[in-house]
Amino acid sequence: MRKLRTGVVGLGRIGWRFHLPEIAKEEGFELAAVADPSNERLAEAKAEYGVQAYADYEAMLKKERLDLVVIASPTMFHTEQTIMAFQYGADVLLEKPMAATLPEADRMIEAMHNHGRKLMVYQPHRTTAAYQAAKSIIDGGLLGPIYMLKKSISRYTRRNDWQAFTKFGGGMLNNYGAHAIDELISLAGPNVKRIDAHLRKIASLGDADDVVKAVLETESGVVLDIDINMAIAAHLPEWVILGERGTAIIEGVDDQQVFKLKYYLPEELKELAVHDGLAAPGREYRNFDEIPWRQEVVRLADFKPIPFYEKCYEHYALNEPPFIPIEQTREVMRVTAECRKEQ
Ligand SMILES: NC(=O)c1ccc[n+]([C@@H]2O[C@H](COP(=O)([O-])OP(=O)(O)OC[C@H]3O[C@@H](n4cnc5c(N)ncnc54)[C@H](O)[C@@H]3O)[C@@H](O)[C@H]2O)c1
């Protein structure tokens, strides 16, 4: 089996907790080197994984002849580090959000084409049981044609790290919007034609948005309703799927989570005459319509999370199509930029 010589840049929350252990355990990857300006983090990585550790990212690229660079540094460094990896002949797996701005994302895509390299963005929410369950409900058709998808991420938190500051590419539209917009567009189908967005800074200690309300409409007319609210002392349902013949809503916590479906079958619906006059016949104001509701529960525990690094191996080593095509991530970046313009 071909092993991909892999380097990781940025040993923070996601680099340290997710990428390093995943790469170390996957047979098709060789964790060759890491880079981070923090000597403490380099020492930790050396001790735990026995890898080459660099405070200077370019020195890592020059020395290590990597097949793949995983970029998990703060967002403001993504563009330059991605382009530099291409210049040294490596492919890139990049953390979301792809970049702080759309022109930066376009520069990266252009560089990818110019250097003939691969670029994929890590969108972990597409691997989750919740996303797969939502997809199977939509594809299963019980709810009828889907006209609206609602996605919420809600809590009350006084964010005080770099993600709270615009100068570092922070803010919750960039941070969690990169997940929610990607999930909804990939479920509803391309592309977004209308956008209405409201961004606020409420509880955060920085200057970037921590409350995002965005309503998007796709070309096929599906409404995508996104709430990312870090200043709400309540829990909004994470997923609501609205079809012409029923609704699914997520309930419960952790591995007890389920989608509850309420829907009817068209063949069980009784005919209902239309009265289009302005005076109700016989002053009867009820219409006696009884919807023959059916209920069903879809357990998230029945869906296995997709192992992302296996998908990476298929793309980077075996040349299979990307699990997350870069054009889809570019659309997420475009929509994000339009949401910001709405302010
Ligand atoms: N996919 C996800 O679910 C997910 C989750 C968390 C973070 N992220 C993304 O990952 C990236 C990193 O976020 P985090 O929360 O892990 O960060 P973090 O704040 O926990 O850590 C950042 C790390 O990057 C290092 N660093 C600082 N400047 C650097 C530079 N110039 N080059 C290389 N490393 C540098 C810091 O020393 C630190 O170790 C962000 O883009 C973020 O949006 C994605």
Side-chain angles (χ1 to χ4, degrees):
M1 182 184 220
R2 180 185 165 208
K3 279 209 184 265
L4 294 170
R5 261 181 81 71
T6 304
V8 177
V9 54
L11 304 176
R13 188 185 344 233
I14 197 79
W16 183 255
R17 286 199 200 148
F18 175 74
H19 292 289
L20 287 191
E22 285 295 307
I23 295 163
K25 80 167 199 250
E26 281 292 330
E27 215 191 325
F29 294 79
E30 176 199 348
L31 179 59
V34 294
D36 193 295
S38 157
N39 285 327
E40 195 186 312
R41 294 196 165 181
L42 295 178
E44 224 178 331
K46 262 196 215 165
E48 178 102 13
Y49 293 100
V51 281
Q52 295 297 319
Y54 296 82
D56 179 351
Y57 171 63
E58 186 164 10
M60 173 177 86
L61 295 175
K62 221 180 245 173
K63 195 95 184 276
E64 296 291 339
R65 298 177 165 271
L66 300 168
D67 297 309
L68 178 68
V69 176
V70 177
I71 298 180
S73 53
T75 310
M76 62 184 288
F77 302 113
H78 288 185
T79 304
E80 299 314 325
Q81 290 180 344
T82 296
I83 294 172
M84 196 181 276
F86 293 154
Q87 286 163 347
Y88 282 91
D91 291 327
V92 171
L93 170 64
L94 176 64
E95 262 305 335
K96 52 54 54 182
M98 185 177 175
T101 66
L102 183 62
E104 286 183 9
D106 283 339
R107 270 178 62 213
M108 293 152 100
I109 293 172
E110 198 187 332
M112 175 192 87
H113 289 304
N114 289 345
H115 289 276
R117 301 252 53 106
K118 294 175 184 156
L119 171 62
M120 182 161 70
V121 173
Y122 176 53
Q123 296 282 175
H125 287 214
R126 286 222 216 168
T127 68
T128 62
Y131 177 88
Q132 292 177 70
K135 186 163 170 37
S136 91
I137 290 167
I138 293 167
D139 293 347
L142 284 180
L143 305 183
I146 300 302
Y147 67 89
M148 190 182 295
L149 297 173
K150 292 161 86 77
K151 177 85 214 263
S152 304
I153 305 171
S154 56
R155 67 184 77 108
Y156 199 102
T157 179
R158 295 190 302 154
R159 196 101 196 203
N160 60 350
D161 62 341
W162 67 264
Q163 288 278 19
F165 293 92
T166 46
K167 66 180 174 186
F168 298 132
M172 291 306 120
L173 175 64
N174 275 353
N175 191 17
Y176 295 147
H179 292 302
I181 295 170
D182 174 71
E183 284 177 289
L184 294 193
I185 297 179
S186 63
L187 287 173
N191 278 323
V192 171
K193 64 171 184 192
R194 278 173 65 186
I195 295 174
D196 179 33
H198 304 265
L199 273 58
R200 297 283 184 279
K201 185 207 85 74
I202 306 289
S204 162
L205 303 190
D207 65 339
D209 54 276
D210 63 349
V211 173
V212 179
K213 174 79 200 174
V215 180
L216 320 173
E217 188 178 334
T218 67
E219 268 161 17
S220 63
V222 181
V223 176
L224 310 177
D225 181 359
I226 297 172
D227 271 302
I228 301 168
N229 195 326
M230 298 292 109
I232 180 168
H235 181 74
L236 301 172
E238 283 160 43
W239 285 95
V240 186
I241 303 169
L242 298 100
E244 292 179 13
R245 297 196 293 270
T247 304
I249 187 161
I250 201 163
E251 286 181 12
V253 289
D254 301 330
D255 58 354
Q256 300 300 311
Q257 274 187 312
V258 294
F259 270 104
K260 286 198 171 159
L261 276 63
K262 188 172 170 184
Y263 64 96
Y264 66 82
L265 299 176
E267 60 271 26
E268 291 179 357
L269 200 63
K270 291 204 185 93
E271 275 199 28
L272 186 63
V274 173
H275 298 296
D276 58 358
L278 286 176
R283 289 193 177 276
E284 183 51 74
Y285 295 111
R286 293 164 298 171
N287 75 0
F288 297 101
D289 190 22
E290 279 180 24
I291 309 283
W293 290 119
R294 288 171 168 249
Q295 315 243 6
E296 199 166 305
V297 166
V298 173
R299 291 166 5 114
L300 267 55
D302 293 337
F303 294 83
K304 291 235 171 326
I306 295 168
F308 195 84
Y309 267 91
E310 283 180 19
K311 295 284 164 201
C312 286
Y313 191 80
E314 289 166 9
H315 179 52
Y316 293 109
L318 306 179
N319 280 324
E320 286 183 21
F323 182 56
I324 316 272
I326 200 67
E327 300 72 31
Q328 293 181 7
T329 309
R330 202 263 174 199
E331 174 66 359
V332 173
M333 289 296 301
R334 183 188 73 78
V335 170
T336 307
E338 292 294 321
C339 286
R340 207 172 293 293
K341 265 196 224 158
E342 288 282 305
Q343 297 316 295

